[in-house]
Amino acid sequence: MINRRSFNKVLSALAGSAFLSACQNNSSKKTPFYKGDVIISTWANTNANEVAKSILNKNGSLLDAIEKGINSVEEDPKDTSVGFGGRPDNSGEVTLDACIMDEKGNAGSVTCLKEVVNAVSVARKVMEETPHVILTGQGAHNFAMDQGFKKTNLLTEDSKIAYDKWLQKSIYNPEINIERHDTIGMIARNAKGTISGACSTSGLAYKIPGRVGDSPIIGSGLFVDNEVGAATATGLGEIVLKSCSTFLVVELMRNGMSPAQACKEAVTRINNKYDIKDLQVGLIAINKAGEHGAYSIQPGFVYAVTNNEKTTVIDSKSLT
Ligand code: ASP
């Protein structure tokens, strides 16, 4: 006979199974951007992170997500330090540097690339379609044309006006924290623990033609080691190049430091060695567990973080 107690048991069993099936339905609707996935990028590049997240939501690969996220900045004429609309060198020509690195340690890079908007996509082609790591200048351009990239004049009207104004004095004087969007470096880790990254820039405005910065150099502008984590840099490339900063950050994390501690140590070493009072270096990093952090020499550096809940812009701590 069914008594009150057993009736309650049946009710709670029914409620339990309804709850379970609601959970199951819910989990089948769950976005592929899982808890544990994390995308971080230099500066307030929230839109780029959202583009990357949307690729992951469509079951795209981590590398596709990073590439497309960076493409969105390369294609934005308002971003004056990356891709189309980037500031030119001192001869008035826009040249781009970019690199990409996957979880297997494969890498591709282009330096001094002219007349192609999506430098990071050309870098990916170098990684995937050639036996080389770096293609430069005319060779990089010819390769991009062979790969079907479109030839585009990268100098926008606004950049031309700014260049003509600059020519009146012609003083090379790299600025820090340009409108919160210099080089875009993006590194990401998915819930499976796979880590990849890339970066893209037009380099320092009004540089000497042929100048290559840190961004396309593996270990300087970007380094990924799937066993440990990844790091990427922005700021005065010459100093990052001389310090192998992103390789150093990943090695410091390997030896037990958190991403923020490793970035702090790397910018501290730069600061102790070089006299760069007015210049900036900002580093961001993630580790295998998906923890992230940043550190910069000067205040004003920020980075964008996207997880399965939201995208936020975080103020980096700095040495000064
Ligand atoms: N690191 C870049 C370069 O030196 C510039 C930047 O991030 O502002 O080319």
Side-chain angles (χ1 to χ4, degrees), residues 72-80 82 84-87 156 158-159:
S72 69
V73 182
E74 292 174 328
E75 287 158 15
D76 179 357
K78 287 195 222 75
D79 193 312
T80 57
V82 178
F84 180 63
R87 294 284 187 251
T156 56
D158 283 353
S159 284

Side-chain angles (χ1 to χ4, degrees), residues 173-177 275-281 297-298:
N173 184 17
E175 288 169 56
I176 64 165
N177 302 339
D275 184 19
I276 50 163
K277 281 183 203 69
D278 298 330
L279 292 169
Q280 177 66 302
V281 171
I297 296 180
Q298 313 278 353

Side-chain angles (χ1 to χ4, degrees), residues 9 22-23 37 44 51 72 78 96 118 121 135 147 156 173 211 216 230 240 248 263 269 293 311 314:
K9 261 191 180 170
C23 286
D37 286 359
V51 170
S72 69
K78 287 195 222 75
L96 307 180
N118 296 128
S121 301
L135 291 182
Q147 292 290 323
T156 56
N173 184 17
R211 180 261 187 191
V240 178
L248 175 62
C263 292
R269 288 197 200 178
T311 295
I314 297 181

